[in-house]
Amino acid sequence: MDARSPSQRRRREMAAVTSGAGRCRLSKVGAGRRPPPARVRVAVRLRPFVDGTAGADDTPCVRGLDSCSLEIANWRNHQETLKYQFDAFYGERSSQQDVYTGSVQPILRHLLEGQNASVLAYGPTGAGKTHTMLGSPEQPGVIPRALMDLLQLTREEGAEGRPWALSVTMSYLEIYQEKVLDLLDPASGDLVIREDCRGNILIPGLTHKPITSFADFERHFLPASRNRTVGATRLNQRSSRSHAVLLVKVDQRERLAPFRQREGKLYLIDLAGSEDNRRTGNKGLRLKESGAINTSLFVLGKVVDALHQGLPRVPYRDSKLTRLLQDSLGGSAHSILIANIAPERCFYLDTLSALNFAARSKEVINRPFTNESLQLHVLAPVKLSQKELGPSEAKKARGPEEEKTGNPESPAAPASASQKFSLLQKLSSMDPAMLERLLSLDRLLGSQGTQGTPLLSTPRRERMVLMKTVEEKDLEIQRLKMKQKELEAKELAQEAVDPTERENCSPTMLLPLARRRVTVAKPLKKAVVIPLQLIQEQAASPNPDIHILKKNRKRKLEHVDASGPQEKAEDCWELQLSSGLLAHGRQKILQLLNEGSARDLQSLQRIGQKTAQLIVGCRELHGPFSQVEDLKRVKVLSGKQLESFLKANILGFAAASQCCGPS
Ligand code: ADP
Ligand code: MG
């Protein structure tokens, strides 16, 4: 016998559950990495026969086989039973404590790691959902037990001297006929469900009550539950026709640098009865309610099916319930579904359908992640730059996504949240070193497994990165353009000597060469600047400084037969530039080498960004170049490169001056 008090025992159990993982250890999930999957855990709880439900000779239609499996009669074949296996099965004799410690307590630790968790009680009306979730003063259910443990844990973990300060808030709402009603403030009417830019589901205007003890919790929860119970009496079992959602948020703030913040949300949900309302013969209001209940639960079934089958569209938005559960089912939460079933034969079809739903839910995969961010004062230097902005500019720069949501849940939070976001507007004008440090901090946190800071992991940061990429791409495009020019020039030169072209064209047809627009800075590869020995014929040129020369070149042809090599005379066309043009070109290049910026230098043929920077560096180091050949001396260009560089550029200048007239 364990002589310890129940609360002591519970604390020990919690400690055992949480110790292995280490409470403050960051989970190995980060902004850059895909979080590890966590399957939705499914437990089935079979309630005992209760007074008034069983007939005298009623025998159960379902029974447990072991701690994970059960069987139910097969209505199609009475000789057979249908078997189901789940993560846990709790039989008629199971206690509230068994269900809680076996299935719910293990996921609570994730809240203190800044992750979300949810517990859903599913099943037909009368199968024990409310008993499981709420229970009674004698047999408290999941909700009081979880709250007690969570508050105890946060008190211990958030005590003075511990690294994190913790606070807990609670909200309580019901979804009734597709309306979201705040049970802590029933006058507030239907509330809307929103999603922020990080995919978190929010309910703007929902009451959040801070709680520090279980007494605090009861003070808010009991009257709110009565709101629901009063309704139930008035509206005839309203409580079983609405979904009751208790939201408990655990906020953590690191006491020392880097002052991280974490938020974990726990949803404890008592769903409306899943019975098939077509069989109940409902009319009027009851029928309308049934329709609404069926919509929500029907969509819940569709959502589970879509997730189960991996469909690209999951219809979360088709009902309020599924929209609210968006980050719990197939989302960021550790989820547990407790399917409640009843043993009576009159429940048979609803039990079967609940078991089938539970079996499908078992296949749903969630990807929980740590919800962590940095506090504002870590980035104080950035704040200064924020001050430079006027309010209208600040609003503009905040962008639509922040205006849309901006954490409207609590009135105190939006100010800091929007301040945080608005810091980003000045990232572009921020000191690059500071920006670089912020980005590397962001990367570091990412590599440590946190979810990334909201300051930097936002669309605005993405924009900054994008702008940087665009700048790089621009440079790349410039380089490619230069390359293209060069290739065009090469092609042009090729044309000038292409034998097939030559057969059809007389040398004089090359005359327009000097006038072509494309000849601006176009090198002609075959142009030579040294006097030729085999000049036979000189073609007329409109530019007296450029002469088109025809020369004979002998080429050896190897034959495969034994006749031996033969020599074949070939005509070859080359351009000769006048000494005046050469001197002028050299002068121009030299001037550019000594006075041009790196960008100017890149306008020269064969000079890319790196070479241009090298030339500027040499100039600064050794002083001005006295002649173009110095490029060879300082090893910027090799002898061969220098030759082609001169040819290409001098011809380019000549062509440009021809095209644009004398300068
Ligand atoms: P639901 O919320 O699914 O409509 P309830 O929780 O109201 O069902 O349960 C219906 C009745 O069955 C209640 O009187 C409840 O006390 C009783 N009950 C449910 N589950 C159990 C259980 N495991 N042990 C004892 N009584 C139970
Ligand atoms: Mg109920």
Side-chain angles (χ1 to χ4, degrees):
M1 260 301 270
D2 195 343
R4 278 180 290 260
S5 72
S7 68
Q8 271 178 321
R9 264 206 315 274
R10 210 159 31 243
R11 214 169 306 158
R12 269 182 69 84
E13 283 156 5
M14 275 304 274
V17 168
T18 53
S19 61
R23 202 248 343 121
C24 288
R25 182 176 61 88
L26 289 172
S27 59
K28 289 280 174 208
V29 291
R33 259 168 290 167
R34 204 160 147 73
R39 195 169 53 72
V40 170
R41 318 291 294 175
V42 177
V44 171
R45 185 180 196 187
L46 172 65
R47 73 152 165 73
F49 283 101
V50 286
D51 292 344
T53 55
D57 57 346
D58 212 353
T59 50
C61 63
V62 56
R63 65 173 180 157
L65 296 173
D66 55 42
S67 62
C68 291
S69 51
L70 63 114
E71 65 177 357
I72 183 169
N74 185 355
W75 61 283
R76 292 171 199 270
N77 180 353
H78 292 280
Q79 310 301 313
E80 266 182 24
T81 58
L82 300 167
K83 290 190 176 60
Y84 290 84
Q85 183 144 26
F86 297 99
D87 295 296
F89 170 72
Y90 301 103
E92 306 92 305
R93 289 202 197 93
S94 61
S95 67
Q96 301 280 60
Q97 174 73 8
D98 294 338
V99 177
Y100 175 71
T101 50
S103 292
V104 180
Q105 200 180 46
I107 65 168
L108 294 184
R109 69 182 168 89
H110 297 299
L111 288 159
L112 291 129
E113 289 167 356
Q115 300 188 359
N116 296 344
S118 57
V119 182
L120 295 97
Y122 182 89
T125 301
K129 297 181 296 296
T130 306
H131 179 78
T132 299
M133 294 307 288
L134 210 52
S136 59
E138 304 77 47
Q139 297 180 58
V142 164
I143 289 176
R145 284 167 195 271
L147 259 297
M148 196 113 58
D149 278 347
L150 209 54
L151 286 163
Q152 174 66 30
L153 202 62
T154 51
R155 261 198 306 276
E156 284 168 9
E157 293 295 334
E160 284 297 322
R162 303 300 300 254
W164 296 81
L166 282 91
S167 61
V168 183
T169 61
M170 63 163 283
S171 308
Y172 193 28
L173 63 99
E174 71 173 342
I175 302 175
Y176 177 65
Q177 291 197 45
E178 287 303 273
K179 287 194 180 79
V180 178
L181 306 171
D182 189 347
L183 289 170
L184 293 175
D185 179 14
S188 61
D190 188 14
L191 302 172
V192 287
I193 303 175
R194 291 243 166 89
E195 183 179 355
D196 72 6
C197 55
R198 302 173 74 193
N200 295 317
I201 298 293
L202 318 163
I203 303 179
L206 182 71
T207 311
H208 296 267
K209 294 277 187 202
I211 47 171
T212 52
S213 64
F214 191 74
D216 265 355
F217 166 72
E218 280 189 320
R219 194 156 50 82
H220 300 301
F221 185 77
L222 294 180
S225 301
R226 272 197 296 279
N227 281 338
R228 203 170 172 232
T229 317
V230 168
T233 322
R234 195 156 35 88
L235 291 171
N236 195 2
Q237 288 194 353
R238 170 176 161 171
S239 66
S240 67
R241 322 214 126 250
S242 68
H243 310 286
V245 181
L246 175 68
L247 168 61
V248 184
K249 267 199 211 174
V250 180
D251 280 302
Q252 297 183 75
R253 279 155 199 271
E254 202 170 22
R255 289 198 166 104
L256 297 170
F259 305 106
R260 286 167 295 169
Q261 291 183 344
R262 287 178 185 165
E263 184 191 271
K265 280 193 300 187
L266 171 67
Y267 282 119
L268 297 164
I269 306 175
D270 182 0
L271 290 169
S274 66
E275 67 274 9
D276 186 345
N277 285 279
R278 282 169 304 186
R279 285 202 304 275
T280 58
N282 289 334
K283 289 194 183 95
L285 178 64
R286 291 294 298 275
L287 190 65
K288 201 170 157 218
E289 284 175 355
S290 306
I293 291 167
N294 281 346
T295 307
S296 283
L297 288 177
F298 176 65
V299 176
L300 181 63
K302 281 206 301 185
V303 164
V304 167
D305 283 347
L307 291 166
H308 179 202
Q309 290 166 31
L311 298 183
R313 185 186 174 267
V314 182
Y316 290 115
R317 287 167 184 264
D318 291 3
S319 82
K320 291 280 170 68
L321 173 71
T322 47
R323 183 79 173 120
L324 187 69
L325 293 181
Q326 187 165 337
D327 55 6
S328 302
L329 276 175
S332 61
H334 297 266
S335 299
I336 167 127
L337 180 94
I338 305 176
N340 291 87
I341 53 171
E344 294 87 359
R345 289 188 168 266
C346 59
F347 278 91
Y348 176 78
L349 287 177
D350 291 324
T351 301
L352 199 59
S353 99
L355 288 174
N356 287 334
F357 176 81
R360 295 200 308 277
S361 305
K362 211 169 65 166
E363 309 298 328
V364 174
I365 305 287
N366 283 352
R367 289 193 180 271
F369 58 79
T370 299
N371 209 350
E372 187 172 88
S373 58
L374 280 185
Q375 270 182 28
L376 195 60
H377 51 277
V378 187
L379 297 157
V382 190
K383 201 172 176 178
L384 291 175
S385 67
Q386 160 66 12
K387 279 187 184 166
E388 295 159 20
L389 285 183
S392 62
E393 280 170 292
K395 193 178 171 198
K396 219 184 296 169
R398 262 202 306 276
E401 74 276 5
E402 292 147 42
E403 271 180 53
K404 203 173 68 193
T405 54
N407 193 8
E409 268 196 287
S410 62
S416 66
S418 62
Q419 257 176 325
K420 250 191 244 175
F421 281 124
S422 59
L423 294 175
L424 294 159
Q425 64 204 319
K426 274 289 177 179
L427 280 182
S428 52
S429 57
M430 192 193 290
D431 172 15
M434 168 66 77
L435 177 62
E436 195 44 50
R437 283 180 67 184
L438 285 174
L439 290 172
S440 50
L441 177 64
D442 190 39
R443 276 194 295 273
L444 181 71
L445 288 172
S447 70
Q448 282 179 350
T450 62
Q451 218 247 320
T453 71
L455 273 164
L456 300 171
S457 296
T458 61
R460 210 155 304 282
R461 189 193 88 146
E462 301 300 318
R463 220 182 93 206
M464 289 298 302
V465 174
L466 213 63
M467 273 160 60
K468 229 176 165 183
T469 316
V470 167
E471 210 171 290
E472 278 168 14
K473 293 285 171 208
D474 273 351
L475 280 171
E476 184 69 30
I477 288 168
Q478 261 181 21
R479 264 199 299 278
L480 287 171
K481 274 188 183 163
M482 297 294 287
K483 189 96 187 154
Q484 190 187 359
K485 272 187 188 171
E486 217 169 286
L487 287 169
E488 277 172 10
K490 267 185 197 171
E491 200 183 326
L492 204 64
Q494 201 72 39
E495 268 175 30
V497 293
D498 188 4
T500 51
E501 287 261 345
R502 215 172 47 235
E503 272 168 27
N504 304 328
C505 309
S506 77
T508 47
M509 282 184 76
L510 291 170
L511 292 179
L513 171 72
R515 286 207 185 100
R516 287 187 196 179
R517 290 198 78 78
V518 288
T519 53
V520 180
K522 296 292 179 290
L524 295 181
K525 203 177 180 187
K526 291 285 174 182
V528 287
V529 286
I530 46 166
L532 295 169
Q533 285 150 11
L534 290 166
I535 302 171
Q536 286 190 341
E537 200 179 309
Q538 187 169 323
S541 164
N543 186 334
D545 289 324
I546 303 173
H547 303 288
I548 301 164
L549 304 173
K550 183 182 171 189
K551 67 174 190 175
N552 261 338
R553 185 196 281 162
K554 285 187 177 154
R555 204 156 61 123
K556 271 189 180 177
L557 298 172
E558 297 283 338
H559 284 272
V560 270
D561 58 17
S563 61
Q566 285 183 6
E567 279 196 342
K568 189 189 171 197
E570 273 187 349
D571 285 343
C572 195
W573 297 96
E574 290 187 331
L575 299 176
Q576 190 185 32
L577 308 179
S578 75
S579 54
L581 194 63
L582 285 173
H584 175 71
R586 280 169 163 272
Q587 188 57 39
K588 235 175 150 177
I589 294 173
L590 193 61
Q591 193 182 349
L592 213 54
L593 289 177
N594 285 329
E595 288 165 26
S597 65
R599 191 176 269 261
D600 296 338
L601 288 167
Q602 282 180 62
S603 69
L604 287 168
Q605 297 290 324
R606 314 285 156 94
I607 302 290
Q609 191 190 10
K610 271 190 190 156
T611 318
Q613 281 165 353
L614 208 60
I615 292 170
V616 173
C618 284
R619 197 170 68 199
E620 277 166 11
L621 205 66
H622 305 295
F625 298 96
S626 55
Q627 53 173 351
V628 180
E629 273 69 24
D630 284 352
L631 287 176
K632 200 168 82 179
R633 194 173 47 79
V634 293
K635 295 195 169 56
V636 170
L637 295 176
S638 69
K640 235 180 172 176
Q641 282 171 332
L642 181 69
E643 204 178 305
S644 71
F645 164 75
L646 284 171
K647 279 180 204 170
N649 285 294
I650 292 172
L651 203 66
F653 292 145
S657 66
Q658 188 70 29
C659 167
C660 312
S663 55

